[in-house]
Amino acid sequence: MLKGDLLYAGKAKSVYRTDQEGVFLVEFRDDITAFDGGKKDVLSRKGYFNARVSAYLFRHLMERGIPTHFIEMADDRRMLVRSLSMIPLEVIVRNMAAGSMSRNYPIAEGTPLHPPVIVIDYKDDVRHDPMLNDDLIMALKILNAGELARVKEMALAVNTHLIRFFDSLGITLVDFKLEFGRLNDEIMLGDEISMDSMRLWDTSTGESLDKDVYRFSKGDVMEVYRRVADKICAG
Ligand code: TYD
């Protein structure tokens, strides 16, 4: 598979065309950012750990009937994916209050949320990803009512599968962010599922096992990413 033109470079991943129609190559770089790009670093092997975990979790979900863009790994940090027409939403599922939820609303970090809370942001850097609601999503013609229902149903199904998986590893899935795209008329999971896009807590110690280690300088970020990746991919 030949790597073609660079189509898009995000904060931590770059997307390339390939010589195969409808197939893109996603490269997980070693860049790490937080606070809307306000904190940035390059951490050796970070791209490898996130690519490995994303591939593992995409496979895990596909085996359980969730459609995703994942095809296969091209090498240890580059993933072949189906090219989707991306939907500009960040779909966040929360099982416990944390992060912006506890900053913006009167609810203590760690408060369990039953049922889980879905928050959907508009993916738009210039506007700093404002939060949407169902009416806004339809007024902006991002999704119709049926598609919105499908996105929420898929997000909750992913949550159920991931909660069960992480529970078996002694890890609590606090929250995570998904992005979806369209392939013809089908909505599929795209982007990544990694330590950058999930909040994971050690169930017995409460230790952060995700990008919060970087955001809040809680320790050796790459030691944590390596340890979590090993645990997930052995699971
Ligand atoms: P959230 O608490 O909304 O934001 P913050 O990380 O600023 O505290 O994040 C909820 C989850 O979604 C968390 O696991 C990180 C993930 N997320 C992203 O991956 N990208 C994003 O742009 C946002 C807003 C969240």
Side-chain angles (χ1 to χ4, degrees):
M1 183 77 52
L2 278 178
K3 182 164 120 178
D5 300 340
L6 175 68
L7 280 171
Y8 170 80
K11 295 195 188 89
K13 300 191 298 300
S14 301
V15 181
Y16 295 88
R17 221 183 278 283
T18 68
D19 57 2
Q20 199 177 321
E21 180 69 27
V23 177
F24 288 165
L25 187 70
V26 177
E27 181 172 50
F28 287 69
R29 306 195 314 268
D30 285 341
D31 301 281
I32 187 164
T33 70
F35 307 119
D36 221 355
K39 181 172 178 179
K40 294 185 205 189
D41 283 281
V42 178
L43 299 176
S44 172
R45 304 235 293 158
K46 183 249 178 188
Y48 162 67
F49 296 131
N50 274 356
R52 189 170 167 225
V53 164
S54 267
Y56 185 92
L57 294 178
F58 279 138
R59 282 198 191 99
H60 183 87
L61 292 171
M62 288 164 83
E63 282 163 13
R64 288 159 182 77
I66 309 277
T68 89
H69 68 160
F70 179 75
I71 301 172
E72 62 180 355
M73 293 306 287
D75 60 31
D76 66 4
R77 61 172 65 223
R78 296 186 308 161
M79 183 181 281
L80 290 167
V81 302
R82 260 172 254 287
S83 62
L84 305 182
S85 162
M86 291 305 291
I87 299 164
L89 297 177
E90 305 207 325
V91 179
I92 297 165
V93 183
R94 301 176 176 280
N95 295 306
M96 277 188 180
S100 66
M101 181 162 180
S102 298
R103 281 199 306 278
N104 296 338
Y105 306 100
I107 186 163
E109 193 150 88
T111 308
L113 302 169
H114 299 299
V117 171
I118 299 181
V119 174
I120 304 186
D121 292 345
Y122 183 43
K123 203 173 150 69
D124 185 326
D125 279 345
V126 174
R127 294 183 171 81
H128 303 287
D129 301 341
M131 192 196 288
L132 295 170
N133 67 19
D134 292 6
D135 288 346
L136 281 164
I137 290 169
M138 289 185 276
L140 294 173
K141 301 202 183 310
I142 299 171
L143 298 173
N144 65 35
E147 290 172 329
L148 179 56
R150 174 72 183 139
V151 161
K152 289 186 184 180
E153 174 192 53
M154 284 173 71
L156 291 175
V158 169
N159 189 40
T160 302
H161 293 305
L162 293 185
I163 287 178
R164 191 171 303 150
F165 174 70
F166 282 111
D167 255 359
S168 73
L169 304 180
I171 293 174
T172 301
L173 178 63
V174 175
D175 57 37
F176 58 95
K177 184 261 310 180
L178 301 175
E179 293 183 27
F180 294 87
R182 292 188 182 85
L183 181 62
N184 306 318
D185 284 337
E186 194 184 0
I187 294 184
M188 291 189 165
L189 194 53
D191 195 49
E192 67 181 300
I193 312 178
S194 72
M195 285 72 81
D196 281 12
S197 64
M198 296 183 282
R199 203 168 256 125
L200 303 171
W201 292 351
D202 183 306
T203 304
S204 45
T205 66
E207 180 195 358
S208 283
L209 303 173
D210 56 61
K211 198 159 92 173
D212 274 354
V213 178
Y214 173 73
R215 288 190 188 91
F216 304 112
S217 307
K218 292 184 183 194
D220 181 342
V221 186
M222 281 310 96
E223 188 279 324
V224 171
Y225 274 43
R226 182 193 52 74
R227 189 152 41 92
V228 177
D230 282 350
K231 205 167 185 177
I232 290 173
C233 300

